[in-house]
Amino acid sequence: MDIVRGDFLKGLGDEGGLVAAPTNGVIAPAGLVMGAGAALALARHRPALRQALARRIEREGVRVGRFWRYGFVAVRLEDRLYGAFQSKLDFRRGSDLELVRFSAERLRLWLVEHPGVVVHLAFPGIGLGGLSPEAVWGVLEATLAEVSGAVRLYRK
């Protein structure tokens, strides 16, 4: 797994790759709440993404009170793959390291089913999520070891 300095949206240049942002578990009438950070940048790039991700989350996730727990989901819009990597349930609160671990495991399983796809992921949980980069890196490195060559982590 590589850490790349810069904007994760550079991954849009990889036509066969998947671009993913850290996300939360709140679905509103407009779709998955993607109101800040990398999630907002990705939603601005592809406005239909909020609704597409919400529909996938409602099919694959589990409702936990007002929130959804899904870990990682991917959707195809036009000819591009996009993903949501969950690092928190409530966007108003900090990220949860156990949720990052769960999401990394879901991503690992997805990559095993989709060999050859490279995931361009904004480093989850460390900005607005409040987790230490070292703690998140440790979880990602251990969980994604089997597929580490297929993951590019972006950090500004």
Side-chain angles (χ1 to χ4, degrees):
M1 184 166 28
D2 298 325
I3 296 180
V4 179
R5 289 281 177 195
D7 188 343
F8 80 110
L9 293 178
K10 286 194 294 188
L12 293 168
D14 177 3
E15 293 181 13
L18 179 146
V19 178
T23 52
N24 62 79
V26 179
I27 295 178
L32 179 64
V33 172
M34 299 173 77
L40 178 59
L42 191 56
R44 284 184 174 153
H45 167 76
R46 182 69 68 201
L49 187 57
R50 294 173 199 251
Q51 279 294 336
L53 288 171
R55 287 190 302 272
R56 180 62 51 95
I57 290 165
E58 288 170 344
R59 283 195 306 271
E60 295 183 18
V62 175
R63 191 147 193 167
V64 181
R66 306 183 327 240
F67 309 109
W68 288 87
R69 185 172 189 267
Y70 55 91
F72 173 81
V73 295
V75 296
R76 181 177 292 280
L77 291 177
E78 297 170 14
D79 285 338
R80 170 153 306 283
L81 288 167
Y82 297 94
F85 184 100
Q86 189 176 22
S87 68
K88 48 176 90 170
L89 285 176
D90 185 348
F91 64 86
R92 296 171 200 92
R93 302 196 185 272
S95 293
D96 177 275
L97 201 53
E98 273 309 307
L99 189 52
V100 169
R101 185 182 323 278
F102 174 70
S103 300
E105 177 59 20
R106 295 268 308 185
L107 173 57
R108 184 190 71 75
L109 293 171
W110 189 90
L111 282 166
V112 167
E113 293 175 3
H114 299 86
V117 175
V118 173
V119 173
H120 301 270
L121 173 64
F123 206 120
I126 63 170
L128 298 171
L131 296 175
S132 80
E134 296 78 19
V136 174
W137 173 255
V139 165
L140 295 177
E141 190 174 39
T143 309
L144 297 171
E146 173 187 354
V147 295
S148 66
V151 178
R152 306 284 180 277
L153 283 177
Y154 288 78
R155 185 168 181 198
K156 289 188 175 188

